[in-house]
Amino acid sequence: MCSAWAVSSDCLVAVAAGALMVGASIGGVCAQSTAAIEAEAQKEGAVVWYSAMRSEHIELIAEQFRLDFPKIKIETIFLTSPEVAARVIMEQRGRRFNADIISGPSASISQLKLQKKLTAFTLPAELRKQHLDGASDPQGYWAVQYVLSYPITYNTQMVAAQGLAPPRSFEDLTASKWQGKFAISQEYYDWYQGLADYLGRDKARALAQRLAANKPLIRATSSTILQLLEAGEYAATFHSFGYAANEEKAKGKPVDFINAEPLVATMQTGAIALNPPHPNAAKLFQMWMASTEMQQFVVSKLGRISTHKAVANIESVWNPKRDKIVLLDPDKQVRTSREFQDEYRSIFGIASATSHR
């Protein structure tokens, strides 16, 4: 096991009366110290991780887990975002309980929570306090792994060629000179949910209507939108993830981005499945992913945003002293998804709904 995790784990155990107690039980087992969880996880010897993220990033995280916990075999199952909830629900209906950890978009994980397909496990209080508010479920069903932001991204060559100033706000894109020159996703109504959380429903609707009046092009997913932006099909978008725009800029592609106010962000969360085969290994994985070392890992190696207060984020992607970030509440996302999806589609004239990523 690497020394960084060992020190972090020992520090957790040393808190308060000499042993930090986990705040919730799993499968009826009494609360355990962090050291006891790790010891039992070593005995279980395995953890099965269902994950929707880039396959190469899954393997980077898995390899680090193997280095930190060489006695625990980690099995990774790659899924697309729409497959996460569907596969777990299908398996559990058939009384198959294969997964220990499930990672995916926060709305998908919250859907599993609301359908009682997850097991509650509250992270240790000292670990929770190291993260921003809203980074873990109050009931213990999920914890953030990283954050995905929605900046305004633009094609630097097209903006220059067309005599446009780089857009610095959503309001900039309502100007007549931007008509037909930016694109939105047909799927990302969660951006609209975040806008409404920050501005209030009426102001968010009015802003979205002004944007819609400028006839944005309607495209599909974030990666497709970014590719078409680079190809020069349009000059700007606010539906490409910040980390991806930053990666492409670093490669020398003609893109740049600005974190407009508000910077709407959605979370990638992890949860423990219902009836996990390796419950202690699952708990250990959750704590490990939330630790300072692994949160710095997801920033440094994956380029994502961390909610950990001690982690140095990539300032261009998110600077907490500058950018007013709006973290979407996953349970609220699920409860209000239909009404926001319908309103978003109506405002922007999108004919049919597609599955949320």
Side-chain angles (χ1 to χ4, degrees):
M1 164 189 335
C2 79
S3 58
W5 166 256
V7 171
S8 175
S9 178
D10 289 346
C11 288
L12 285 176
V13 175
V15 170
L20 174 68
M21 302 307 291
V22 175
S25 62
I26 180 170
V29 178
C30 295
Q32 301 158 275
S33 70
T34 302
I37 289 172
E38 184 171 344
E40 291 302 312
Q42 303 262 17
K43 292 177 184 177
E44 290 167 354
V47 65
V48 179
W49 180 28
Y50 285 15
S51 184
M53 64 176 73
R54 287 187 187 177
S55 58
E56 66 269 27
H57 288 173
I58 293 172
E59 286 310 310
L60 280 173
I61 293 172
E63 183 56 32
Q64 187 61 50
F65 187 88
R66 294 181 186 109
L67 290 172
D68 287 1
F69 306 105
K71 294 182 180 179
I72 304 174
K73 178 183 177 182
I74 182 168
E75 179 183 355
T76 59
I77 307 295
F78 171 75
L79 300 169
T80 63
S81 295
E83 291 173 341
V84 172
R87 174 155 175 172
V88 172
I89 290 169
M90 179 187 67
E91 288 184 348
Q92 292 190 11
R93 282 177 179 168
R95 307 302 298 169
R96 292 174 56 209
F97 299 95
N98 184 56
D100 292 305
I101 292 289
I102 308 163
S103 298
S106 55
S108 296
I109 300 301
S110 191
Q111 178 187 353
L112 291 172
K113 169 192 168 181
L114 296 174
Q115 294 193 31
K116 303 186 185 305
K117 305 298 183 184
L118 303 177
T119 298
F121 170 65
T122 304
L123 293 172
E126 284 301 307
L127 196 50
R128 295 198 309 276
K129 286 193 297 185
Q130 294 171 19
H131 287 259
L132 298 177
D133 291 344
S136 60
D137 179 41
Q139 298 171 289
Y141 283 97
W142 53 260
V144 70
Q145 294 181 334
Y146 55 75
V147 171
L148 300 165
S149 61
Y150 288 124
I152 297 176
T153 306
Y154 56 94
N155 183 307
T156 54
Q157 293 176 351
M158 285 195 70
V159 165
Q162 296 181 21
L164 297 166
R168 305 192 68 82
S169 70
F170 299 117
E171 200 64 48
D172 283 352
L173 294 173
T174 68
S176 59
K177 62 185 176 181
W178 278 98
Q179 188 172 90
K181 295 178 181 177
F182 66 97
I184 66 168
S185 169
Q186 62 189 359
E187 299 183 15
Y188 292 175
Y189 61 87
D190 55 359
W191 168 84
Y192 183 47
Q193 286 176 299
L195 197 68
D197 279 351
Y198 187 78
L199 297 178
R201 190 70 171 266
D202 291 343
K203 289 183 178 180
R205 184 187 300 112
L207 175 56
Q209 288 170 340
R210 292 195 298 275
L211 289 165
N214 245 357
K215 300 179 181 178
L217 303 174
I218 311 299
R219 295 297 181 262
T221 62
S222 175
S223 59
T224 300
I225 285 180
L226 185 57
Q227 290 168 6
L228 295 174
L229 177 78
E230 290 177 2
E233 185 170 317
Y234 36 80
T237 183
F238 45 84
H239 281 162
S240 178
F241 294 135
Y243 85 89
N246 189 60
E247 285 181 348
E248 294 304 285
K249 180 181 177 180
K251 294 175 184 175
K253 299 295 179 65
V255 297
D256 207 345
F257 58 100
I258 182 74
N259 289 336
E261 183 180 338
L263 180 62
V264 177
T266 187
M267 293 183 286
Q268 171 92 356
T269 56
I272 298 177
L274 186 67
N275 298 333
H278 312 101
N280 290 287
K283 294 181 197 178
L284 183 65
F285 188 94
Q286 285 289 80
M287 292 187 293
W288 178 75
M289 278 299 298
S291 70
T292 308
E293 293 76 27
M294 280 310 296
Q295 286 298 295
Q296 191 64 66
F297 183 96
V298 300
V299 172
S300 302
K301 301 295 186 182
L302 279 58
R304 305 303 205 270
I305 292 172
S306 171
T307 60
H308 196 293
K309 297 172 186 176
V311 162
N313 278 289
I314 301 168
E315 287 198 2
S316 58
V317 179
W318 181 53
N319 181 345
K321 296 179 180 179
R322 178 195 64 207
D323 305 318
K324 295 183 178 179
I325 199 165
V326 177
L327 286 180
L328 287 163
D329 180 317
D331 289 357
K332 185 177 180 182
Q333 273 187 275
V334 173
R335 289 194 303 269
T336 64
S337 63
R338 177 53 62 185
E339 63 177 285
F340 274 98
Q341 184 182 48
D342 289 347
E343 186 166 301
Y344 178 79
R345 290 170 55 207
S346 176
I347 289 170
F348 288 101
I350 298 170
S352 60
T354 58
S355 298
H356 188 66
R357 71 191 181 294

